[in-house]
Structures are given as structure tokens and as C-alpha cells.
Amino acid sequence: NAGVTQTPKFQVLKTGQSMTLQCAQDMNHEYMSWYRQDPGMGLRLIHYSVGAGITDQGEVPNGYNVSRSTTEDFPLRLLSAAPSQTSVYFCASSSSGYSNQPQHFGDGTRLSIL
Amino acid sequence: DQQVKQNSPSLSVQEGRISILNCDYTNSMFDYFLWYKKYPAEGPTFLISISSIKDKNEDGRFTVFLNKSAKHLSLHIVPSQPGDSAVYFCAANTNAGKSTFGDGTTLTVKP
């Protein structure tokens, strides 16, 4: 059982470039989310989705876009990369958005913006 | 303003002893609290949770205590094992499905 799969694991970009971080889950989970983790800090919510076709902003959405065309996939797009977006990005899923549901995380994408 | 705080960045304990990790929160609307464990180069994994209407939840060596009046929760690990060495995140959920995480506490269990 793969769980939550993130690709790529590592990426280096130049300022101004765009890219898409991929996230896929095979657990038929309705709720998916993207977080970023900066050194010494916790995870901050970027965007989330409660089901296919439905997305909403989290705490730090600026500079990122998401879409959810299928239950399985939830890609995160960086529109024009900036050094401040250097971080580790985690995708997560849970069976629903109810507060008692734990999230299942991927292993992260380590992104460096030069 | 940080709504979930883990004031101890690190904790070191001897194998076999108790580890106590603390977490404070400010938002009374949180209705579920979860602890996640994270090893290097991996994503966080769920450990244990507690509802805001409970004051204790136990799962094997792990117990979470909630003091709602003090807006404080703690994770107890007894006995601590070297494999417990990891970063522990406290997370608080609202019924809208959003999670707010603390900054984490790095636990080191010495053999």
C-alpha cells in the first residue's frame, strides 16, 4: 500500500521559474492538503481540498495554486518561484475533514530556490 | 500570533525513563488534538489523539493528557526507548478540518 506519494523528492529552481509538485494517494481519501515546513518550525497549511473540484486557502497560500480534478491527485503549483519559498513541502490526506481524523503524510519534497 | 506552542525545542531522557512533551494552545475552538512523530527525511506519522471533551487517552506506552482550563496538553511516553528519538509535533484541529501545528520538540532517548 503506497499511501501518499510525492514527486519529486528534491528540486532546485531558479528565481522566477515555475513548477508543479505532485501528490497522489491511493486510500480513496476525500481530504487532501499541502503544508510547508521551514527550519525549526512546524507545518503551515498552504491549501487544502475537501473533495474533487473543491479547494480552499490555508494559512500561507500566496504564490501557490492548486486544483483537484480527481480524488487521487492534488498537485501544487509554484507560479514564479522566490527564495522565500525554499522549504520542505508535505502533502497529506485523510478520510474526511472531520477534526478527529488523523492525516497521512507523504515523505516530502525538498525545494531550493536560488 | 502562534495558536499552538511547543515551548521546549528539545528534550533528552534516559532509556526506560518517562518522556513528557508539552503543548499549549490559545484557541478555544480547537476540538481535537493530535500528536505526530517525525523521523528525518520522512513525513510525520500519527501517534495518538484526544478529543477536547476528554482529559486522558492511552495507547500502549503513550498517554496524552488534556487540561482544557489551562489550554495545555502533554504526551507521556513510558518507558522511553531509543527508537522513540524523533521530532514530535502537537496539532490542533477545528471541526472545519484545518490543522494547526506547533514547532515540534526533538526527543532524544539515550541508551
Side-chain angles (χ1 to χ4, degrees), chain A residues 54-67:
Chain A
I54 306 169
T55 64
D56 205 348
Q57 296 181 352
E59 181 187 357
V60 288
N62 292 340
Y64 308 95
N65 272 357
V66 291
S67 59

Side-chain angles (χ1 to χ4, degrees), chain A residues 17-86:
Chain A
Q17 287 185 315
S18 62
M19 81 160 293
T20 299
L21 308 185
Q22 301 292 344
C23 176
Q25 52 92 6
D26 62 359
M27 297 172 282
N28 201 32
H29 283 172
E30 289 296 323
Y31 185 91
M32 297 186 73
S33 53
W34 276 102
Y35 294 86
R36 61 177 287 174
Q37 185 190 14
D38 299 322
M41 298 181 66
L43 284 75
R44 291 185 292 168
L45 182 64
I46 304 171
H47 286 285
Y48 65 99
S49 168
V50 299
I54 306 169
T55 64
D56 205 348
Q57 296 181 352
E59 181 187 357
V60 288
N62 292 340
Y64 308 95
N65 272 357
V66 291
S67 59
R68 182 98 179 269
S69 56
T70 67
T71 298
E72 295 77 21
D73 300 299
F74 190 42
L76 177 72
R77 296 182 190 84
L78 277 70
L79 308 174
S80 177
S84 61
Q85 294 178 304
T86 293

Side-chain angles (χ1 to χ4, degrees), chain B residues 11 21 37-40 82-88 105-109:
Chain B
L11 174 68
L21 296 93
K37 176 180 180 180
K38 185 184 180 304
Y39 292 118
D84 296 330
S85 297
V87 179
Y88 289 78
T105 296
T106 300
L107 173 65
T108 302
V109 180

Side-chain angles (χ1 to χ4, degrees), chain B residues 96-111:
Chain B
K98 293 185 181 180
S99 293
T100 302
F101 284 79
D103 288 344
T105 296
T106 300
L107 173 65
T108 302
V109 180
K110 298 180 179 178

